[in-house]
Amino acid sequence: MKDGEPVPRIRGTDRLSAKLVEREMTPGLYTDGRGLAMVVERLKDRSIRRRWIFRYASPTHRPINPKTGTLQGWRREMGLGLVDDVPLAKVREIARGYREQVAAKVDPIDKKRADEAAERAESLAELERKKAKKAREQNTLLRVAREYHERKIEPERTDKHAGEWIASIENHIPVDMLDRFIGDITAKELLAVMLDLRTTVRETSRRVAQRLRIIFADAVLHELIPANPMLAIAHELRESRRDKAKHRTNHASLPYKDVPAFIRALRAEKGMAAKALEFLILTAGRTAEVIGATWSEIDLDAKTWTVLKERMKALEAHVVYLSPRAVEILKAVRAIGASYVFTNPLDPKKPLSNMSMLVLLKRMAYNGRTTAHGFRSSFSTWANETGAAKPDVIEAALAHREQDRIRAAYNRSEFIAERSKLLDAWAAFIDVKPTKVTDIVAARTKTRRKAA
């Protein structure tokens, strides 16, 4: 039978008329044929209710007839709605569909219940999917870290330490990782991030690893994730004794909290090496860059020091934005009148010896505790631990990365301002009341007179 063709009248069906259905109110059973019937019944409150039913012999539920010993269909009845709600033509279409199911050996009641159960299961599954999606959106690594920080760290630590704690996570873990569901972050990804971090800020990387391990452990406790991925990489992050000894030997550095006390002692020292070392600390420069600095690289009006690319490790010109104290040192030593900024005490035409700072540190009893280069590490740890600037700005100040690539992510004026602000903040952190910078000028003038 094609769609749109009239349904043929089958013998024994369609016994009811629309007129009878509309008017009949006498209680009783009015059959339309082949299982479809209208039931009119009087309720306890004397009102009349009229409803449709469909009766059939179940093709699947077939008990044995006790009289004949043969299988017979279990007579079942299902409601099809109230007469006033379902027109005769519509209910006949519904009944025809159920008769087709019976003919196909499908019990209509069982199928309806199964369909309803499947629909409920799908609804629950959809609800769980929505809950899971919401949980994934809410439980990103960043949100979980901040929630733990607010719940555990802030109440137990000072404001300064609590701020440094969360800043170390936010400033050193990649943004795309921070914004992902914590359960999707793998041990392999974390290992790559931590090893990369160790190459730039070793001490900070250790603290970040420790804090991440606590955050993930708390997430396991609250059933956000099944296991702690930081535990899986603990062995890989453990340094060998040889690596630790190598680090102590080649990169000895002061904890940044000890630098102000060192500066206090340094400013009590006389001589060009003391000024050069303080300038090195203020600018986070390398020894060779500082002792080789010439006045042609200095712009006191702009408060910049542009190290020529030929003198840079990365063979790329590096601009240093000078703090007020760094400018003060330069103005003081400029009175000596030589091409090099920090000149050799024995020959003003030559730069300061590369051993002068080491000798100074030894005289101050700091040899073994730090090297001149180690102050770059102190600066880096301070900047990263305190969140003094974005990681890329810190790396640019240290001339660790290609400047053009970093600047591409920034507005130029904003980038310059952030770098300048960073070194100003470092100078303020380590600042103690300075000795008179004119002392060095007087000493050098006296030496030159003797030489003449």
Side-chain angles (χ1 to χ4, degrees):
M1 183 176 64
K2 296 181 180 179
D3 293 341
E5 293 183 356
V7 179
R9 185 182 179 88
I10 301 174
R11 183 180 180 81
T13 63
D14 300 347
R15 297 172 184 171
L16 300 176
S17 66
K19 186 175 182 180
L20 183 145
V21 169
E22 181 182 357
R23 296 181 178 180
E24 187 58 64
M25 294 294 178
T26 305
L29 180 68
Y30 301 85
T31 61
D32 191 53
R34 300 191 68 187
L36 178 61
M38 178 178 71
V39 176
V40 181
E41 53 193 353
R42 190 179 302 279
L43 303 179
K44 291 182 178 181
D45 62 359
R46 308 303 294 170
S47 63
I48 295 296
R49 180 174 67 180
R50 303 187 307 157
R51 57 190 177 88
W52 296 111
I53 63 170
F54 177 67
R55 291 175 171 175
Y56 64 95
S58 173
T60 56
H61 300 276
R62 297 172 62 83
I64 298 176
N65 189 320
K67 294 182 179 181
T68 63
T70 59
L71 293 174
Q72 62 181 15
W74 180 13
R75 302 296 295 180
R76 306 191 79 178
E77 178 182 302
M78 63 188 304
L80 303 182
L82 297 176
V83 173
D84 293 339
D85 295 337
V86 187
L88 179 59
K90 179 65 175 177
V91 82
R92 282 173 175 167
E93 182 182 343
I94 295 172
R96 180 165 60 87
Y98 286 146
R99 284 194 289 269
E100 290 174 355
Q101 290 181 20
V102 172
K105 300 189 181 305
V106 175
D107 189 297
I109 291 178
D110 290 348
K111 185 177 186 306
K112 184 178 181 182
R113 289 174 178 172
D115 290 345
E116 290 174 347
E119 186 177 348
R120 287 194 299 271
E122 177 58 28
S123 296
L124 289 173
E126 179 63 21
L127 181 62
E128 288 299 318
R129 284 193 291 270
K130 289 181 179 179
K131 288 172 62 178
K133 182 181 179 182
K134 185 176 181 181
R136 292 173 66 87
E137 293 173 350
Q138 290 181 337
N139 296 314
T140 63
L141 175 56
L142 180 59
R143 287 190 175 186
V144 172
R146 286 178 174 174
E147 190 278 331
Y148 178 83
H149 176 261
E150 181 179 351
R151 176 165 43 88
K152 291 288 188 179
I153 303 302
E154 286 186 343
E156 299 176 4
R157 311 288 176 87
T158 64
D159 290 345
K160 180 180 179 181
H161 186 272
E164 292 175 356
W165 196 99
I166 193 64
S168 68
I169 301 295
E170 295 179 352
N171 291 336
H172 295 98
I173 302 302
V175 175
D176 59 340
M177 181 177 286
L178 287 173
D179 290 340
R180 282 167 54 198
F181 172 55
I182 191 171
D184 286 346
I185 300 172
T186 66
K188 185 177 180 180
E189 291 174 305
L190 286 168
L191 179 61
V193 169
M194 297 313 302
L195 291 179
D196 182 61
L197 187 60
R198 180 189 288 176
T199 62
T200 55
V201 280
R202 178 177 174 274
E203 185 61 25
T204 298
S205 72
R206 184 185 65 79
R207 292 190 177 96
V208 171
Q210 182 185 51
R211 290 160 188 173
L212 283 176
R213 188 160 57 248
I214 294 172
I215 290 168
F216 278 101
D218 189 70
V220 172
L221 181 65
H222 288 85
E223 300 182 345
L224 298 179
I225 54 175
N228 188 338
M230 288 300 295
L231 294 180
I233 64 174
H235 180 74
E236 294 294 332
L237 290 178
R238 192 173 296 120
E239 292 183 284
S240 67
R241 291 182 179 179
R242 183 179 61 183
D243 290 340
K244 290 180 179 178
K246 181 179 178 181
H247 178 83
R248 285 193 297 268
T249 301
N250 297 337
H251 303 284
S253 61
L254 287 179
Y256 70 83
K257 294 180 180 179
D258 293 343
V259 176
F262 174 83
I263 291 291
R264 187 181 302 112
L266 178 63
R267 288 178 179 172
E269 294 289 327
K270 304 296 183 180
M272 185 64 78
K275 296 304 175 189
L277 181 55
E278 184 179 355
F279 186 80
L280 177 145
I281 296 170
L282 288 165
T283 58
R286 297 181 176 91
T287 301
E289 295 163 8
V290 172
I291 64 176
T294 62
W295 286 109
S296 61
E297 297 176 343
I298 304 295
D299 186 336
L300 289 176
D301 293 332
K303 298 180 181 179
T304 59
W305 167 34
T306 304
V307 187
L308 300 178
K309 65 179 182 179
E310 293 82 3
R311 299 202 306 112
M312 290 300 297
K313 185 177 180 180
L315 296 179
E316 184 175 298
H318 175 56
V319 180
V320 180
Y321 300 93
L322 303 171
S323 65
R325 173 60 180 168
V327 171
E328 184 181 359
I329 292 173
L330 290 175
K331 288 180 177 180
V333 297
R334 189 174 190 178
I336 296 171
S339 59
Y340 288 103
V341 175
F342 300 102
T343 55
N344 191 303
L346 300 178
D347 186 352
K349 295 181 180 180
K350 294 181 180 180
L352 194 67
S353 167
N354 59 2
M355 292 296 294
S356 58
M357 295 186 194
L358 291 176
V359 172
L360 174 62
L361 288 171
K362 184 176 182 180
R363 187 168 70 242
M364 295 175 66
Y366 274 90
N367 59 314
R369 294 179 60 188
T370 187
T371 62
H373 191 85
F375 285 105
R376 285 169 55 83
S377 178
S378 301
F379 164 77
S380 177
T381 303
W382 165 81
N384 283 288
E385 285 283 317
T386 62
K390 299 171 184 175
D392 279 345
V393 175
I394 298 170
E395 293 301 292
L398 290 163
H400 275 165
R401 298 179 182 176
E402 296 177 3
Q403 304 302 304
D404 289 341
R405 181 172 65 81
I406 298 174
R407 276 197 296 267
Y410 291 85
N411 171 279
R412 179 173 174 78
S413 60
E414 177 187 350
F415 183 72
I416 292 173
E418 288 191 31
R419 286 185 56 189
S420 178
K421 183 179 178 181
L422 173 61
L423 288 179
D424 283 347
W426 171 239
F429 171 75
I430 65 174
D431 189 46
V432 291
K433 186 176 181 180
T435 56
K436 294 181 180 180
V437 293
T438 51
D439 290 350
I440 182 67
V441 178
R444 290 306 308 275
T445 302
K446 184 177 180 180
T447 301
R448 292 180 65 186
R449 286 176 178 172
K450 287 183 177 179

